[in-house]
Amino acid sequence: MDKQRIDRIARAFMALTVELAEAARAGEYNPEDFKRRTERNRAAIAELATSDDARLRRAAVLMSAVLADLPGIDDPDVDRRLFTNGREWERIMTEVTADV
């Protein structure tokens, strides 16, 4: 997978998660509003999950966990998990893009 594709996946995922988090915190989260973008991100997650690079496979697992947890962001335990998984994902993606 080339650096441009990895960057596109990362930017799209970051944008989606920020918008999902804002909607969830405002009490305005509706899965239908994000359906198409979530499906595209899930396709990107599947692409990363089949990578030869173990770091990208780990990033895919973290991305799935974040998407699953975002609707419950108001729960302090979920919020902590989101923060932890998000930081780990960011670290991995930074490392991978530096290597590619």
Side-chain angles (χ1 to χ4, degrees):
M1 185 176 303
D2 68 6
K3 183 176 176 21
Q4 284 184 329
R5 179 65 182 140
I6 294 169
D7 285 342
R8 278 194 307 271
I9 289 171
R11 280 193 311 274
F13 181 71
M14 287 172 44
L16 175 63
T17 56
V18 166
E19 289 179 40
L20 282 168
E22 288 172 353
R25 282 198 173 109
E28 300 170 356
Y29 174 72
N30 178 356
E32 287 300 312
D33 294 342
F34 298 96
K35 185 176 181 178
R36 208 171 74 214
R37 290 176 60 204
T38 301
E39 287 172 359
R40 282 196 307 264
N41 271 270
R42 290 196 190 288
I45 290 168
E47 188 178 339
L48 293 177
T50 61
S51 172
D52 291 338
D53 189 327
R55 297 171 300 181
L56 290 177
R57 292 192 306 271
R58 174 70 180 143
V61 170
L62 292 167
M63 291 167 76
S64 291
V66 167
L67 285 180
D69 280 345
L70 272 170
I73 199 166
D74 286 335
D75 179 321
D77 291 332
V78 172
D79 195 40
R80 268 191 301 282
R81 195 168 53 235
L82 281 167
F83 181 78
T84 301
N85 288 339
R87 292 292 293 241
E88 176 69 7
W89 175 82
E90 187 176 19
R91 184 194 64 74
I92 289 169
M93 295 307 278
T94 299
E95 183 181 301
V96 169
T97 55
D99 289 348
V100 176

